[in-house]
Amino acid sequence: MADEHTVTTCLVSFAQHNGFVNLQINNGPLHHRDVLSAGKIFFAPDVQLVDARVTFGSDGGPEDKPFDMVVLFDRGLHGTKECPYLALKLIDKEKIINLGREDYMNVMKSVEYVIARIQPADNETTECMATREDSG
């Protein structure tokens, strides 16, 4: 489709479907609801999908820029072994770009951060938007 493009993301799950996956997203300005809607294909139909953003700083290299890792997850399953996590790489706060093998460790750091910092759904006082500054 002309109004969509494909980006490579990473699905972290204890299920068979796991690893780098392609995701169709809309061209043009990035809207939060569009990202959540596109990501739903990797989750159960009745998912309560939320996201967290983990910010990584530049390592200082000439081609290196800060980026955010956006992690989508099922609010109801979060904190259980059944919960999948879908990571997307975001630069300039609005452009989703392909993840590559070199990003895998940052994906894992981001998912671990979300698991450690965001309480499971049974805690009503939980804030769902976690932010972490990391230098790499």
Side-chain angles (χ1 to χ4, degrees), residues 92-107:
D92 299 327
K93 303 291 182 197
E94 65 182 39
K95 183 178 178 192
I96 296 175
I97 63 169
N98 289 325
L99 283 170
R101 295 183 77 134
E102 68 278 3
D103 296 307
Y104 186 74
M105 290 308 296
N106 288 332
V107 167

Side-chain angles (χ1 to χ4, degrees), residues 12-38:
V12 179
S13 158
F14 293 100
Q16 273 187 324
H17 196 61
N18 199 356
F20 291 103
V21 295
N22 289 327
L23 181 68
Q24 293 288 321
I25 59 169
N26 291 331
N27 286 324
L30 180 67
H31 297 286
H32 186 254
R33 71 184 181 292
D34 294 335
V35 172
L36 293 177
S37 179

